[in-house]
């Protein structure tokens, strides 16, 4: 129920949305960086770039009210639903879809009929899904199934869980399978494991090595991505050169 007051673009791959509610501002950072697409609450970022996509976001969403945030099954797809007042049409519905799909990650702006208004990455594909203005939006093609707890009775290994169900990393699949955990009931406990590699998750996977806990997921993500800027910039420069 917050009001979207400002839209900024701190970098070519990131967008900052300021929501205002009950006298307080909340800053939602959405990053489409090729190596680490993510979404988190953060502090206000002053610098801002502009683009045609930012202009379309402002035209369609400034002063809109955020009504709902939903996830598509257990896939890496988030939908933010808004109501905005149009000068001629009155109250209209708008939404954006954030697909966290590695190099295929995208931010897609839709009208009330799920017709694409614009997207960060416009994509044309003759055989598969295209993301272009005026086309009907369809979710990212997915062969994996939506996991429910009773499915564990029919699985023989963590690898089978990882390969066949949405939302599982290899570490999470091992934790759920070996401990017979109902992931829907597991309390949130944002944890980062600092060893030869940096692994983090919304729950404590009981991995070996040093770890650090956070009170919120956004605090964990802000900490993690503060450690990664040099690697992220390097990968982005390689992508641009290619």
């Amino acid at each position: 129920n917050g009001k979207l007051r400002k839209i900024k673009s701190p970098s070519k791959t990131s967008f900052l949305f300021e929501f205002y509610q009950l006298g307080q501002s909340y800053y939602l950072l959405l990053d489409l960086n090729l190596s680490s697409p993510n979404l988190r609450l953060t502090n206000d970022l002053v610098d801002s770039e502009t683009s045609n996509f930012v202009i379309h976001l402002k035209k369609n969403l400034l002063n809109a009210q955020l009504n709902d945030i939903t996830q598509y099954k257990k896939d890496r797809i988030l939908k933010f639903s808004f109501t905005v007042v149009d000068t001629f049409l009155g109250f209209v519905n708008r939404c954006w879809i954030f697909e966290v799909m590695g190099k295929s990650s995208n931010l897609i702006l839709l009208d009330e009929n799920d017709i694409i208004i614009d997207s960060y990455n416009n994509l044309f594909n003759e055989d598969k899904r295209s993301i272009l203005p005026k086309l009907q939006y369809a979710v990212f093609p997915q062969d994996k199934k939506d996991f429910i707890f009773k499915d564990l009775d029919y699985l023989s290994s963590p690898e089978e869980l990882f390969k066949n169900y949405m939302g599982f990393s290899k570490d999470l699949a091992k934790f759920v399978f070996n401990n017979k955990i109902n992931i829907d009931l597991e309390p949130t406990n944002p944890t980062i494991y600092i060893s030869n590699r940096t692994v983090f998750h919304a729950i404590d996977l009981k991995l070996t090595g040093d770890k650090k806990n956070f009170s919120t997921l956004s605090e964990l993500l802000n900490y993690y991505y503060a450690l990664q800027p040099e690697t992220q910039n390097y990968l982005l420069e390689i992508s641009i050169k290619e």
Side-chain angles (χ1 to χ4, degrees):
N1 295 319
K3 186 176 182 180
L4 181 52
R5 293 205 305 190
K6 294 180 182 178
I7 300 174
K8 299 181 180 181
S9 181
S11 70
K12 292 180 180 179
T13 64
S14 64
F15 302 90
L16 183 74
F17 304 90
E18 180 188 344
F19 291 91
Y20 185 79
Q21 184 184 42
L22 299 176
Q24 185 173 353
S25 291
Y26 301 87
Y27 302 99
L28 184 68
L29 180 67
L30 187 154
D31 199 339
L32 289 150
N33 188 296
L34 295 176
S35 64
S36 56
N38 68 93
L39 182 73
R40 63 189 189 272
L41 290 171
T42 186
N43 296 322
D44 185 18
L45 303 178
V46 177
D47 295 335
S48 183
E49 299 190 10
T50 188
S51 66
N52 287 335
F53 184 54
V54 172
I55 292 171
H56 281 157
L57 287 174
K58 290 182 176 180
K59 180 180 178 181
N60 285 273
L61 292 176
L62 269 184
N63 297 315
Q65 177 176 296
L66 177 61
N67 298 321
D68 199 11
I69 304 172
T70 55
Q71 179 182 9
Y72 176 71
K73 297 183 178 180
K74 288 184 175 63
D75 210 349
R76 296 165 293 169
I77 300 173
L78 295 176
K79 180 178 182 180
F80 286 66
S81 301
F82 298 86
T83 299
V84 64
V85 179
D86 183 273
T87 304
F88 302 102
L89 301 176
F91 290 100
V92 295
N93 296 322
R94 293 286 183 268
C95 75
W96 81 54
I97 305 289
F98 181 37
E99 298 182 339
V100 194
M101 303 289 178
K103 291 189 293 185
S104 299
S105 295
N106 212 344
L107 179 61
I108 306 164
L109 179 64
L110 306 179
D111 70 9
E112 64 274 12
N113 297 311
D114 287 343
I115 301 298
I116 298 170
I117 297 172
D118 200 2
S119 63
Y120 176 79
N121 284 317
N122 288 330
L123 306 170
F124 173 74
N125 192 313
E126 290 185 355
D127 302 321
K128 299 180 181 179
R129 183 186 70 153
S130 293
I131 300 294
L132 293 170
K134 298 184 180 180
L135 293 184
Q136 184 80 35
Y137 171 76
V139 297
F140 197 91
Q142 176 63 266
D143 294 329
K144 293 185 176 182
K145 295 181 285 186
D146 193 15
F147 176 76
I148 53 177
F149 181 61
K150 68 179 183 180
D151 290 349
L152 280 178
D153 296 336
Y154 308 101
L155 301 178
S156 59
S157 69
E159 290 74 22
E160 193 175 356
L161 178 58
F162 167 69
K163 291 180 180 179
N164 293 295
Y165 290 88
M166 291 182 282
F168 286 92
S169 64
K170 290 183 178 180
D171 288 325
L172 179 60
K174 289 179 182 178
F175 177 72
V176 169
F177 182 85
N178 293 334
N179 297 283
K180 298 299 182 282
I181 295 292
N182 186 341
I183 195 67
D184 292 326
L185 301 179
E186 191 69 11
T188 300
N189 184 12
T191 306
I192 189 167
Y193 307 88
I194 305 168
S195 53
N196 293 331
R197 59 189 181 126
T198 304
V199 177
F200 61 87
H201 206 280
I203 60 177
D204 189 347
L205 299 182
K206 311 298 182 183
L207 301 177
T208 58
D210 296 334
K211 64 183 179 181
K212 181 178 177 66
N213 298 99
F214 296 83
S215 58
T216 70
L217 291 163
S218 289
E219 287 179 9
L220 183 154
L221 291 171
N222 285 321
Y223 174 86
Y224 174 79
Y225 288 114
L227 302 176
Q228 312 300 318
E230 293 183 4
T231 303
Q232 290 183 19
N233 291 338
Y234 174 69
L235 292 173
L236 183 59
E237 288 174 5
I238 291 176
S239 175
I240 292 173
K241 290 177 182 178
E242 291 179 346

